[in-house]
Amino acid sequence: MSRTLPLASFTSISNKISSWSGTLAASPRFSPLFFSSQPRLSLFSSTPISHYVKNLPAILAMDSSKAGTVKELPVGLDEATEEEYASQCKLLQEFTNISSIDKAWVFKSESGIGSQVMFSISQPNLLANKRRKFMLSTSILKESNNNVNFQWAPFPVEMTGVSINIPSPSGSKLLVIRNPENESPTQFEIWSSSRLEKEFWIPQSTHGSVYADGWFEGISWNSDESLIAYVAEEPSPCKPSFDCQGYKQGAAKDKECMSWKGQGDWEEEWGECYAGKRQPALFVINLNSGKVHAVKGIAKSLSVGQVVWAPPVEGIDQYLVFVGWSANLRKLGIKYCYNRPCALYAVKVPLYKSEAAESDLKSMEELTVVNLTQSISSAFFPQFSPDGKFLVFLSAKASVDSGAHSATDSLHRINWPTDGKLCSSTKIIDVIPVVNCAEDGQFPGLYCSSFLSKPWLSDRCTMILSSYWRSCQVILSVNVLSGEVLRISTADSGFSWNVLTLDGDNIIAVCSSPIDVPQIKYGCLMDKATNTTGWHWLNVSSPIFKCSEKVTSLLSHLQFGIMQIPVKDVSDCLTKGAARSFEAIFVSSKVNNAPDPLIVVLHGGPHSVSLSSFSKSLAFLSSLGFSLLIVNYRGSLGFGEEALQSLPGKIGSQDVNDVLTAIDHVIEKGLVNPSKITVLGGSHGGFLTTHLIGQAPDKFVAAAARNPVCNLSSMVATTDIPDWCYVESYGRKGKTIFTEAPSAEHLTHFYSKSPILHISKVKAPTIFLLGAQDLRVPVSGGLQYARALKERGVETKIILFPNDIHAIERPQSNFESFLNIGVWFKKYCK
């Protein structure tokens, strides 16, 4: 369905090659690749041009001889490290080229026998500095011996310029949305199985780009596939206009000749990842007429997202259900922050049946909006059951109520009224409550980052979803009527599993480990009639995750395990959950004559988790000859709410001690060389990295910090989440005392929790990877800490990525980041 050729021309490739130069260490504006020591020809030279033409061979020979004697190296490299740099670069490219599955959809085949699956796949495109997206299809044939045969299309199809793909409920149509990169219209395309059926261009005066962020994002077909509801940026507000005569009365949206637009009032944004994004608003498009309606009646203070159509009821107007986030005073950063209060709302959309028996919209004047979840502080990911009898949703109330940016989820249900009469006092039924402390081996609580678009088994009450279970991701079945939760992915391997889509009552999933690239699995529900229960998982041969022979060989020499790390001093634990062991994933070589150098890997958050799944970046570091100790310190997701809530108020001490305890654990077992230990972390993991090299200066030979939190007392004034500084430094009390104007006492307390307090003790050479556009942990904090290290004579390297935000995930930046980390650690672990 791509409307451009999948292969670039040789000319464009050569242009891209010449344009990609690495980001310079501490010198981002200059390329190291194109400096020349030769004088340039000048139009003002007194030497006639014929002289240069006549003597061109001699000049070229002289230039060649100079090139042979003078070797100019990129900034930050010397001859000793250049060869290592080149070698690691080649290996990292082989890991980078491994593809990832983003989504999958199942369609019933036209013959009625078997199914067809469409996989949305992505791969880093280093030359273009974007992710290349493409589709790959397969047919599933079920064989008589209970096996399945996947017959793959010979080639994928690149989806150039595509922002979103959403199949219709029947699977007969595909919505393709192309968001513009400028002020051009947004393109809506409706495809059938063989051709483009319809195309609509939505101008900026109607709305901006459609949200495709995975959070505000919401696109929903109605039941007869004639209407689509979706979330997009509201149109640009009118700005004051000026010309040579001064102010022009009446606001202007479009630029006029001989005039210019002012800025107008500044408007809050939702922080990191949403810079330049306008308020998300709700729209409905009629696919017959192409007319777009903005849904009226929603308060200006409400940002909307995750819209779904309610089940249709004959003779009654249909409802749209959506999530709303309120922001009356300030929009605090929302990315990775589930502690922002939100609710489910319903708005009745007036419909009528056209002559073709398809739905159309009546007047969209002010509509009545009903808050369905007033009694709970958080509600999102609304999902109707297949029979339309109930509405299920996820809640982060534990996060909202405590102030922690992420915490244990809960699952709830609303019985949907068949008469279409809704009220704000609708009863909310708990399906899965917050789990505070689970017994060993038992369900630790729900930690779910998304729902499938169709998560239901044929019994219409069982959902299939992915969730964190300590250091693993697992697949769960949840009966939303009884509340029964079952772990249905295998539990004996230590692998992580992620559900992609359902094929009837069967599951298509991927599983992987730190040393195993993802493998597609097909899960079959065992037949109760034959007294066999549970799930049987089949391996599926797939071309998607193929990697080079070298990568396969390197990974085959590695092993991993998940270690239980006892808490060192349980007397300090206020709850039972806080006293339970935490975990660390240990990756090492199978051939262990002498322990390899160690990289301690620390996740951010702090309320996040490092999973036992495949990471291309960490597998690359393992393949360089390093063991990895990936620590899920107390406060991580997946271990119950009591363990998670033990950390706020104790950052810089409890989490630091947990990491040191994990390191001592592997040293005592003789698994690592204590004289060759390095540490790597980003965000809060960078906070821990810089704390550790200050609090335990003799423990580490080198460190790497990606956008680290180094000084809370300065960060609180510049970050998009100042409330995070309060909650993590003070604990639950921080949610109450949070203010935009910290007192001197607050600032002193923040400083006492910060790594910069210990900077005078740091010895370890440290590399900093910083995103200049980071709104979460602004670059000034990392620069301040790095400059202070330099001032004290500690060897320091800074790589600043001028166009990257907090995650440093643009393909070129992520590549250069881990390449330099590998070279840096190799240098100090010889």
Side-chain angles (χ1 to χ4, degrees), residues 218-270:
I219 300 174
S220 182
W221 294 75
N222 75 332
S223 57
D224 67 16
E225 302 183 357
S226 61
L227 303 171
I228 295 176
Y230 60 96
V231 177
E233 294 181 56
E234 64 182 13
S236 296
C238 295
K239 301 290 182 72
S241 184
F242 304 88
D243 60 17
C244 58
Q245 301 297 320
Y247 172 69
K248 293 179 65 178
Q249 288 192 339
K253 281 193 175 182
D254 300 320
K255 189 173 182 180
E256 299 176 7
C257 184
M258 302 298 292
S259 68
W260 54 279
K261 287 192 296 183
Q263 293 300 313
D265 288 359
W266 174 71
E267 291 192 21
E268 290 271 12
E269 299 165 340
W270 283 107

Side-chain angles (χ1 to χ4, degrees), residues 309-313 383-392 412-420 422 426-427 429 456 459-461 480-481:
W309 287 98
V313 179
Q383 181 75 236
F384 281 96
S385 61
D387 56 13
K389 291 183 178 179
F390 46 84
L391 173 64
V392 175
H412 307 269
R413 185 183 87 236
I414 294 173
N415 292 329
W416 194 253
T418 56
D419 60 3
L422 295 177
T426 303
K427 183 181 179 182
I429 302 165
W456 303 96
D459 63 4
R460 300 183 177 184
C461 63
V480 298
L481 296 181

Side-chain angles (χ1 to χ4, degrees), residues 424-456:
S424 56
S425 59
T426 303
K427 183 181 179 182
I428 297 174
I429 302 165
D430 295 342
V431 177
I432 301 178
V434 171
V435 175
N436 288 313
C437 180
E439 297 300 321
D440 291 342
Q442 299 301 305
F443 174 58
L446 190 61
Y447 304 89
C448 184
S449 57
S450 65
F451 284 164
L452 296 177
S453 57
K454 295 180 179 179
W456 303 96

Side-chain angles (χ1 to χ4, degrees), residues 306-325:
Q306 302 176 16
V307 63
V308 293
W309 287 98
V313 179
E314 189 66 33
I316 298 176
D317 288 335
Q318 199 168 350
Y319 281 95
L320 283 173
V321 174
F322 62 90
V323 182
W325 291 265

Side-chain angles (χ1 to χ4, degrees), residues 50-72:
S50 59
H51 167 83
Y52 294 104
V53 175
K54 181 180 178 181
N55 293 284
L56 185 58
I59 293 172
L60 291 176
M62 178 179 64
D63 196 48
S64 175
S65 65
K66 287 190 177 182
T69 57
V70 179
K71 183 179 180 181
E72 189 167 356

Side-chain angles (χ1 to χ4, degrees), residues 567 573 578-580 582 632-636 643 646-647 654-655 658:
V567 174
C573 301
R580 288 189 173 274
F582 57 98
N632 284 318
Y633 46 86
R634 284 174 295 165
S636 302
S646 71
L647 181 56
Q654 177 179 295
D655 44 5
D658 281 356

